[in-house]
Amino acid sequence: MSEPVLTISGLNVDYGTGTDAVHALRDVDLTLHRGEVLGLAGESGSGKSTLAYAVTRLLSPPGVITGGDVHYHQRDGSALDLLALSAAELRAFRWQELSIVFQGAMNSLNPVHTVHSQLTDVLQAHRPDMRKNKRTDRAKELLNLVGISADRLGAYPHQLSGGMRQRVMIAMALALEPEIVIMDEPTTALDVVMQRQILRQLVRLREELGFSVVFITHDISLLIEFSDRIAIMYGGRIVEQAGASEIYRDPRHPYSAGLLHSFPALHGPRRELSGIPGSPPHLSAMPAGCAFHPRCAKKVDGCDTHVPVLATPDADGSRSVACWLHHEAPAAAARS
Ligand SMILES: Nc1ncnc2c1ncn2[C@@H]1O[C@H](COP(=O)(O)OP(=O)(O)OP(=O)(O)O)[C@@H](O)[C@H]1O
Ligand SMILES: [Mg+2]
């Protein structure tokens, strides 16, 4: 596997403080490697957006990072501690090194400005030396990159389809050739065909330009197709992490298996959709032990009392899972 470009370790995020605080992220460890597409999946409320916001320091109150580290690894081998960057350093870092396309971003284009002015604004802010005609050339190039004809440059957002608006947002995120692009459910408002078309384009661009992608969605079947590795979140924790094909063929966490059976796969053998019984827990009433145990058909003694840590069940260390079915039994762990 290639070298890491982003490492997250022991990240904890609360919403609120004191007795009102709820834990939205708990001890999250995650590594993004250079050039990879990392998919992040989990039901609504599992903490996916919170993770994206915390890593990019865009978390707003009442969200607070209460512990952990986030490091960005530069090509020269040095590492930046993202949680320690000043506001000015952060401004330079965002867009240049890391850009993010937010959930519902399709509607975040400014309705009264043309695509041209919105794309060139980003360039102007970060590349003040770039001449005006060069900025326009670059804006055209960016539109082409995401499959939109350059003659749409003068269009206003309402003159574009949803898929095109989404692609303009992706073009904007790529404007300064960042090393990392985080996409938080960028395609959920689009139809399935358009979702796949955009993702296919993104994967092709990644191969061309060499950036890394964190792609967030609750639709795991999309990730199986397009990502290299997948991390699954439940109740603010990563519960499983493995290569996309490993997760598809052999999900180890009962929750991953449940998610896989909740979405129809576009390719491969048909399987019955069964969904996951029950609903995700509320942060203020998190079950003891493994947060998934009340919905889990495979629970064993101790699942309701001991939190399973993310551990690597295979000798090659390529995947990790936080489930007592794949670790020393919780009863034994309790004795030790
Ligand atoms: N501003 C806030 N104040 C209090 N709780 C919050 C706030 N924002 C998010 N939460 C809680 O944090 C948890 C994680 O939310 P988050 O938005 O990260 O989930 P998500 O996985 O992105 O969900 P979705 O798939 O719906 O986008 C949820 O339980 C949510 O209710
Ligand atoms: Mg979200």
Side-chain angles (χ1 to χ4, degrees):
M1 211 178 283
S2 59
E3 64 190 27
V5 61
L6 190 73
T7 47
I8 301 168
S9 42
L11 192 63
N12 280 279
V13 168
D14 285 358
Y15 284 106
T17 50
T19 49
D20 293 337
V22 289
H23 306 306
L25 289 188
R26 295 162 187 248
D27 301 324
V28 170
D29 292 333
L30 196 61
T31 301
L32 175 68
H33 298 92
R34 206 175 288 287
E36 86 174 338
V37 177
L38 172 67
L40 190 58
E43 286 167 297
S44 185
S46 56
K48 306 178 300 295
S49 297
T50 302
L51 181 58
Y53 278 100
V55 164
T56 50
R57 297 264 312 273
L58 289 166
L59 199 63
S60 49
V64 267
I65 296 174
T66 56
D69 293 300
V70 182
H71 283 98
Y72 171 70
H73 304 273
Q74 286 161 306
R75 284 190 187 260
D76 65 8
S78 60
L80 271 185
D81 178 353
L82 294 193
L83 301 188
L85 291 188
S86 68
E89 286 167 329
L90 265 177
R91 267 196 301 279
F93 178 76
R94 280 195 212 119
W95 296 94
Q96 297 264 28
E97 309 288 336
L98 184 154
S99 63
I100 173 160
V101 179
F102 293 107
Q103 205 161 357
M106 187 159 102
N107 303 317
S108 58
L109 285 170
N110 190 325
V112 299
H113 290 290
T114 61
V115 168
H116 175 263
S117 86
Q118 301 193 52
L119 280 174
T120 53
D121 274 1
V122 175
L123 296 168
Q124 194 169 8
H126 290 265
R127 302 265 197 278
D129 299 340
M130 203 174 194
R131 302 194 32 175
K132 204 171 162 189
N133 58 344
K134 286 274 175 249
R135 285 201 295 267
T136 298
D137 288 348
R138 176 72 179 141
K140 285 183 183 162
E141 192 180 294
L142 285 165
L143 278 192
N144 279 327
L145 210 57
V146 294
I148 299 178
S149 151
D151 60 19
R152 303 311 299 269
L153 209 54
Y156 286 89
H158 74 269
Q159 295 169 323
L160 303 175
S161 70
M164 282 169 137
R165 287 204 296 274
Q166 194 58 52
R167 279 181 281 170
V168 171
M169 292 305 300
I170 294 173
M172 229 153 150
L174 298 177
L176 304 172
E177 300 188 357
E179 291 285 349
I180 303 172
V181 181
I182 298 182
M183 307 228 164
D184 188 0
E185 306 250 19
T187 57
T188 33
L190 307 175
D191 65 68
V192 181
V193 176
M194 184 58 75
Q195 285 189 17
R196 286 190 153 72
Q197 196 182 323
I198 290 182
L199 269 162
R200 204 164 292 128
Q201 218 151 23
L202 191 71
V203 169
R204 185 179 54 75
L205 287 175
R206 182 272 310 243
E207 276 155 17
E208 235 166 74
L209 304 174
F211 54 85
S212 317
V213 181
V214 178
F215 194 90
I216 300 176
T217 176
H218 58 275
D219 181 348
I220 194 173
S221 67
L222 266 184
L223 297 183
I224 299 283
E225 261 184 270
F226 293 102
S227 46
D228 300 307
R229 271 187 325 123
I230 296 178
I232 309 233
M233 291 191 77
Y234 190 80
R237 293 181 192 273
I238 305 275
V239 295
E240 181 159 15
Q241 221 188 113
S245 54
E246 277 78 31
I247 292 259
Y248 180 70
R249 279 188 279 113
D250 177 24
R252 299 276 172 91
H253 199 291
Y255 179 62
S256 313
L259 270 189
L260 274 168
H261 289 105
S262 305
F263 292 95
L266 204 67
H267 303 296
R270 276 171 187 263
R271 45 178 155 196
E272 206 170 309
L273 294 183
S274 47
I276 307 169
S279 48
H282 286 288
L283 293 184
S284 53
M286 208 44 100
C290 169
F292 186 62
H293 87 262
R295 302 171 74 189
C296 185
K298 295 192 166 170
K299 63 173 175 273
V300 293
D301 277 354
C303 288
D304 56 353
T305 47
H306 294 77
V307 179
V309 290
L310 198 61
T312 44
D314 296 352
D316 65 3
S318 61
R319 59 188 299 173
S320 48
V321 59
C323 173
W324 287 121
L325 293 175
H326 302 283
H327 292 308
E328 189 188 6
R335 281 197 300 274
S336 63

